[in-house]
Amino acid sequence: QVQLVESGGGLVQTGGSLRLSCAASGRTFSIYDMGWFRQAPGKEREFVAGINRIGGVKYYPDFVKGRFTISRDNAKNTLYLQINSLKPEDTAVYYCAAGYYSGSGPNYGMNYWGKGTLVTVSS
C-alpha cells in the first residue's frame, strides 16, 4: 500500500501557473504508474494526466495537452503536475493516484488516492 499527500494548490489568476506535488510513502513509489485527476464542483472526477513507472511514457487527454505536464522523481518519491495558462474552468480539487494505468474506466487502473489539493482560478 502507498500513502499519497498532495500539495501546491491555491488561488491563482487566469493565465497563471501552478506546480502541484504529490508525496508518496509506504510501498516503493517506483513500482506504480501514477496519475492526476480532478473534480470540479458538481462534476464527475476526470483524468488529466498519467505517467508510467519510470517516467518515460506520459498520457494526457486532449483538453489539457500543451498546458499540463506530469513528471515524477522516483528518488524523491514525488509526483508533479505543472499547469500553465490556467483557466477558470481548471478550478477543481486535484488528486494524485497510484496503480497500474489502464487508460479507461472510472479510475484508469488507479488503486490508491490522496485527499486532494484545491486549485481555484479567478477570472
Side-chain angles (χ1 to χ4, degrees), residues 4-92:
L4 304 171
V5 179
E6 302 93 337
S7 62
L11 176 63
V12 63
Q13 291 185 335
T14 296
S17 298
L18 277 178
R19 188 175 81 155
L20 307 182
S21 298
C22 174
S25 61
R27 288 197 68 183
T28 305
F29 176 69
S30 60
I31 71 172
Y32 296 109
D33 301 326
M34 299 293 295
W36 285 99
F37 296 72
R38 70 183 183 186
Q39 187 165 20
K43 295 188 177 182
E44 293 187 351
R45 187 174 61 199
E46 62 182 354
F47 169 77
V48 298
I51 190 167
N52 75 338
R53 281 164 278 181
I54 60 172
V57 181
K58 302 178 182 181
Y59 311 93
Y60 302 100
D62 287 343
F63 66 86
V64 306
K65 282 183 178 177
R67 295 196 303 121
F68 287 29
T69 302
I70 189 171
S71 61
R72 66 190 297 166
D73 185 337
N74 286 348
K76 295 182 178 179
N77 289 350
T78 304
L79 177 73
Y80 303 99
L81 183 69
Q82 178 71 37
I83 312 175
N84 297 327
S85 303
L86 277 155
K87 306 174 183 180
E89 51 263 45
D90 294 321
T91 295

